[in-house]
Structure formats: structure tokens, C-alpha cells
Amino acid sequence: MQLYHSVQIGELILEGNLFLAPVAGYSDRAFRSICIEQGANFTCTELVSSEALIRGPLCNEKNSMMALLRRADNEVRYGIQLFGADPEVMGKAAALLTPWKPSAIDINAGCPVPKVVKTGAGSALMKNPAHLGRIVEAVVRTAHASVGKSVPVTVKMRSGWDAESINYQECARIAVESGASMVSLHSRTRSQAYSGKSNWAHLADLVTRAPVPVTGSGDLFSPEDARRMLEETGCAAVMFARGAMGDPFIFTATKDLLTAGSYSAISGAAKIAAGFRQLLLLSADIGEGAACREMRKHFCAYTRGIPHGAEIRNCLVHAETITEYERILGIGNNPPFMRYSAC
């Protein structure tokens, strides 16, 4: 069985099956761009509030929603993920996506974060599968009418609300019957959030039941994890989330492992260079000061496991400018970090 292969989602054909999951606070277009450079076959925006989207005005460049929706320059294929609890609002929001020409529209039925769940959105949708179906129908109908009939609607969900309500089978069935062209399953419950282990048996089971591609997520932190998920579950694609944070090279490494049987280790210098490039891209989008503050958390991941990583992180928490980042990281003509006795 060929583990690395193309994926067809409705009329959308993707070259490979290594996806970047939408992750709030992380998968902005700067990071997505870096992941695409490193081999991600499909990327998706952070979750976008349908309620906020229809309030607009989207013509205002200062609207934070604009930053969430924008396609990266190298993003040939990308999805926009919507969240909400009202079918009518979700439909109207989908209709507003026309200017961005997304390759797909994803419905979030898996986010466990309280501020999302308390609105009835995210994984709360799994408590009422019929209602989830109405949302999918509304998004499919308006998306096909406004954005284009070739734009598939997909759904990302969890195994269920808690251990006593495992209902991914029913939710996936209704989503597909309502028009979804792909289902992505993070096989944890909402009550688990990101703790414990994801149950890949749920993913393997769904693959045998769903007439559309099923993408797997959960506990993918290495190329070996991705290979094992593909082998054990038969899922059409893998979707990296936390495993890609600070390690966009996981896409290249996974492709190499799946196609050639091995991959090369990534140096600390390469990780630092990728993180710095992300900083420059983000700075162009949101301004230098905001980007420098936002990138502190990203560099916590980029410097994990590299020599002097702790010292670098301790200095970066105070960095406010790109010049400071260059000095601390040893970028350009700056000497290596450890030649500095203090930040």
C-alpha cells in the first residue's frame, strides 16, 4: 500500500496527504506559509467566527478578521474554517467568503475550548447530530451558490462529547448525508481536551464506514506517528496540529519516510532560520512589535531540544524588535548566541 498519495475531496484534488490542522493562535498565514515551504499539501485558517464574520465590515483592512482569512502568497490550496451554532448565520458567513476564493470550507465541530463550546459551537455540536446536519446543509447550500460548486465543505470533529457519548459514527454519517465531502476525526472526546491518548480505533472504524475521505488527527508528533496512523487506520490523510508547532519540517520528513523509508534530522540552525523567516512574514502582516511578541511562543517550540534552547527562550521573552531577535538568535552578522553574557 502506497502511504503517500493524492487525495480527492469532492472536486478538489490534492497532490499529497499531509495536512496542517487549523490551530487557534498558531496557524496564521505566516506559519502556514512556512509549512507549505516544507511540504504541507493542504492548510487551513485558524477558526473563524461566523457571528463576527457577518458583522463586518470586511472592507476595513484593520478588521482582525481580514488577517485570519487571507491566503498566504504560496498557498495554492487552502481552506477556511468556520465555527458557529446557528445554521442561518453559518450559511451567511460561508456566502461572504467569495472574495477569498477558498479551496474548501471546513466546519469546526471539534474545538473543546470553553469560550467556543459555551456558544453551542465547536465540539458542542456533537451533542445534537441533527443540528450539526442542518449547519452542514446550510453551509453547503450557500457555499455552492456563492463561492462555487467546486468548493467542498468538510467537517472536523471529535469522537464525542465524553466517554459516555461516543457518537462520531452518527455525526459523520449525518454530516456526509448533509453534503460534507470529507470528515476529519480527532479521536479524543471533548472532555479529554488534549489530555490522555487519542483512540485511533475510532478513526479506523470511521474509515470503514464513511463514503468520503477520512483524515486523522491526534497524537501525531513524529513522521513515525504519521506512518503508523496511516498503516493502522487506513485514513486518507494525516493532519498535524501540535506536532507541527516549531517543527514545520515534519512535513518533509514524513514524506521522505513514507516514500523513501528514511529522513534526515533537522539542525538547530535550520529551525532557528525557519522561525526567523516566520517572524519576518508575520511582521509584514501585523507589524513588528506585535509579531515579535507573538513569536515568543512559537520560538518556545522552535528552540525545544536544541543546544542552549533554554537560554535563548529566556532572552526572547523580552525581545521587542527584529533587531533584538537577530542579536539573540545570531542572525546575519551577529555572533552566535552564547557569546552574549546577558540579554
Side-chain angles (χ1 to χ4, degrees):
M1 179 177 64
Q2 186 174 355
L3 297 180
Y4 181 77
H5 54 75
S6 62
V7 179
Q8 183 165 353
I9 309 168
E11 296 183 27
L12 174 65
I13 299 176
L14 303 173
E15 177 183 317
N17 58 344
L18 308 179
F19 300 172
L20 174 67
V23 181
Y26 283 90
S27 54
D28 52 44
R29 78 174 196 142
F31 183 63
R32 299 198 310 270
S33 180
I34 299 296
C35 288
I36 291 167
E37 289 176 359
Q38 297 303 326
N41 301 119
F42 192 62
T43 52
C44 191
T45 68
E46 301 173 64
L47 66 169
V48 173
S49 167
S50 58
E51 295 281 354
L53 190 58
I54 66 171
R55 292 194 200 102
L58 293 178
C59 58
N60 183 350
E61 287 291 335
K62 294 183 179 180
N63 190 321
S64 61
M65 197 63 60
M66 292 283 287
L68 290 177
L69 293 167
R70 290 176 66 195
R71 181 195 295 256
D73 292 342
N74 61 348
E75 213 164 15
V76 178
R77 299 280 187 268
Y78 91 125
I80 294 177
Q81 187 183 74
L82 294 176
F83 78 92
D86 186 318
E88 182 179 359
V89 171
M90 286 285 282
K92 288 180 178 179
L96 292 174
L97 299 179
T98 304
W100 287 271
K101 299 179 181 179
S103 308
I105 298 173
D106 187 59
I107 296 171
N108 185 310
C111 181
V113 176
K115 69 178 182 180
V116 172
V117 170
K118 72 179 182 181
T119 68
S123 53
L125 293 177
M126 297 192 71
K127 298 173 77 172
N128 188 339
H131 186 67
L132 171 60
R134 288 190 286 273
I135 287 177
V136 175
E137 287 177 354
V139 173
V140 168
R141 182 173 60 253
T142 56
H144 287 183
S146 302
V147 186
K149 290 186 177 181
S150 63
V151 176
V153 172
T154 64
V155 180
K156 191 170 189 292
M157 62 179 62
R158 288 192 166 231
S159 291
W161 180 257
D162 55 30
E164 286 68 49
S165 57
I166 303 296
N167 65 345
Y168 65 91
Q169 294 177 0
E170 181 184 11
C171 288
R173 176 183 60 78
I174 290 176
V176 172
E177 290 174 352
S178 301
S181 297
M182 183 180 77
V183 175
S184 299
L185 181 67
H186 181 154
S187 48
R188 281 183 172 89
T189 63
R190 187 270 170 179
S191 62
Q192 281 182 282
Y194 301 102
S195 65
K197 286 286 186 180
S198 58
N199 189 338
W200 289 3
H202 294 165
L203 178 59
D205 174 61
L206 185 58
V207 168
T208 67
R209 297 172 182 274
V212 298
V214 175
T215 300
S217 179
D219 294 339
L220 294 174
F221 296 104
S222 70
E224 290 80 5
D225 290 337
R227 179 174 64 182
R228 186 166 62 87
M229 176 180 278
L230 288 166
E231 289 175 337
E232 292 182 4
T233 71
C235 61
V238 291
M239 185 175 281
F240 293 101
R242 290 177 294 163
M245 303 302 111
D247 187 17
F249 304 96
I250 199 168
F251 294 99
T252 300
T254 300
K255 181 179 179 181
D256 288 347
L257 179 65
L258 297 181
T259 57
S262 65
Y263 60 94
S264 301
I266 304 300
S267 68
K271 291 183 178 181
I272 292 297
F276 187 73
R277 174 158 167 70
Q278 184 181 338
L279 168 63
L280 296 180
L281 290 171
L282 188 60
S283 178
D285 278 349
I286 66 175
E288 181 175 355
C292 287
R293 292 188 292 274
E294 180 69 16
M295 283 300 297
R296 293 170 185 169
K297 67 182 181 185
H298 287 277
F299 268 100
C300 283
Y302 275 113
T303 57
R304 187 171 53 238
I306 72 171
H308 314 301
E311 292 94 328
I312 295 173
R313 290 191 292 275
N314 287 339
C315 285
L316 287 180
V317 295
H318 305 291
E320 297 283 351
T321 67
I322 290 175
T323 299
E324 288 180 81
Y325 269 83
E326 289 176 326
R327 179 180 64 81
I328 294 167
L329 298 173
I331 300 292
N333 295 324
N334 288 284
F337 167 78
M338 288 309 291
R339 292 191 184 178
Y340 291 96
S341 60
C343 300

